[in-house]
Amino acid sequence: IVDTVTGLINDNNRHAAAFFGICNDSVLAGKEVIQLFEEEDENKKAALYNIICSPQQNWEGELSCRNSNNTVFPASVSIIAFKYLGKDFKKISITDISEKNQILNELHNAKKKAEESAVIKSQFLSNMSHELRTPLNAITGYCHLLQRTELTDTQREDISLIETAGLQLLGHVDAQRVGGGLVE
């Protein structure tokens, strides 16, 4: 709880003290609240101080905080104005979001890897499609040409089976190209 006139911490709960690595609950009381925030940009720090000292202004966002061990951590901060016994105060809630940010970063990296894998798969399937289509087209083409020559019924049937099998394989390759997003 911060006095908007002085910018000093008026009161805090034991969780806030523990959060900032302080053993005694009352150590934060009387300190300038702005000292809890680690903002390098002086304009940003001044704007934050103005929000804290503005009696009616609320704010919510992410800031960097520094605990008693001088460890800087990202935090979600909520600043809510209220009146008590005719005086203006701000209730400041701070939540460490280090773990959340780490999880988001891991998710981002996993998504990036998945996208890279999809591109590699797509390239592989495209290459395989080309490598399979070329000989299959030759096989089915030669089968078609052979069927125009003088053949026995058994030879004609055998060549027809080879051509049908080749065309089925080409159909599978084409289906994979379209299904895998590889329309060339």
Side-chain angles (χ1 to χ4, degrees):
I1 305 296
V2 177
D3 184 329
T4 59
V5 174
T6 63
L8 300 177
I9 299 172
N10 193 37
D11 194 14
N12 60 273
N13 60 23
R14 60 187 159 96
H15 298 292
F19 191 70
F20 284 97
I22 299 169
C23 298
N24 186 345
D25 294 359
S26 62
V27 170
L28 285 175
K31 290 192 178 235
E32 288 184 346
V33 71
I34 202 71
Q35 292 177 352
L36 300 178
F37 303 106
E38 184 65 27
E39 291 302 322
E40 293 178 13
D41 183 349
E42 288 302 319
N43 292 331
K44 207 173 177 184
K45 202 168 195 173
L48 177 63
Y49 188 77
N50 288 336
I51 290 168
I52 292 169
C53 293
S54 173
Q56 301 304 316
Q57 192 172 0
N58 296 328
W59 185 85
E60 192 172 325
E62 292 184 9
L63 296 170
S64 296
C65 294
R66 181 180 295 277
N67 66 19
S68 64
N69 298 330
N70 278 333
T71 302
V72 176
F73 60 91
S76 175
V77 179
S78 171
I79 302 172
I80 307 294
F82 72 97
K83 280 190 179 283
Y84 181 71
L85 299 176
K87 264 186 106 173
D88 292 315
F89 292 95
K90 293 288 176 90
K91 176 183 178 266
I92 301 178
S93 300
I94 301 171
T95 305
D96 185 344
I97 57 172
S98 299
E99 189 175 330
K100 175 189 135 194
N101 286 354
Q102 180 182 354
I103 290 168
L104 288 174
N105 192 30
E106 289 170 6
L107 283 172
H108 173 74
N109 290 339
K111 180 182 179 231
K112 188 176 176 184
K113 272 186 178 178
E115 289 170 347
E116 289 170 358
S117 293
V119 167
I120 290 169
K121 176 187 170 189
S122 178
Q123 289 171 344
F124 172 77
L125 290 174
S126 180
N127 289 339
M128 286 306 298
S129 170
H130 175 72
E131 295 298 323
L132 290 172
R133 288 176 65 73
T134 302
L136 285 172
N137 280 326
I139 291 168
T140 57
Y142 281 117
C143 286
H144 185 71
L145 290 174
L146 280 173
Q147 286 177 345
R148 294 177 156 180
T149 65
E150 289 184 34
L151 300 169
T152 66
D153 287 341
T154 305
Q155 289 173 326
R156 191 171 304 284
E157 193 177 303
D158 290 344
I159 290 174
S160 179
L161 286 172
I162 293 170
E163 183 180 29
T164 301
L167 290 171
Q168 284 177 339
L169 282 173
L170 276 172
H172 290 304
V173 169
D174 287 341
Q176 184 62 45
R177 285 176 51 223
V178 173
L182 299 174
V183 178
E184 297 174 352

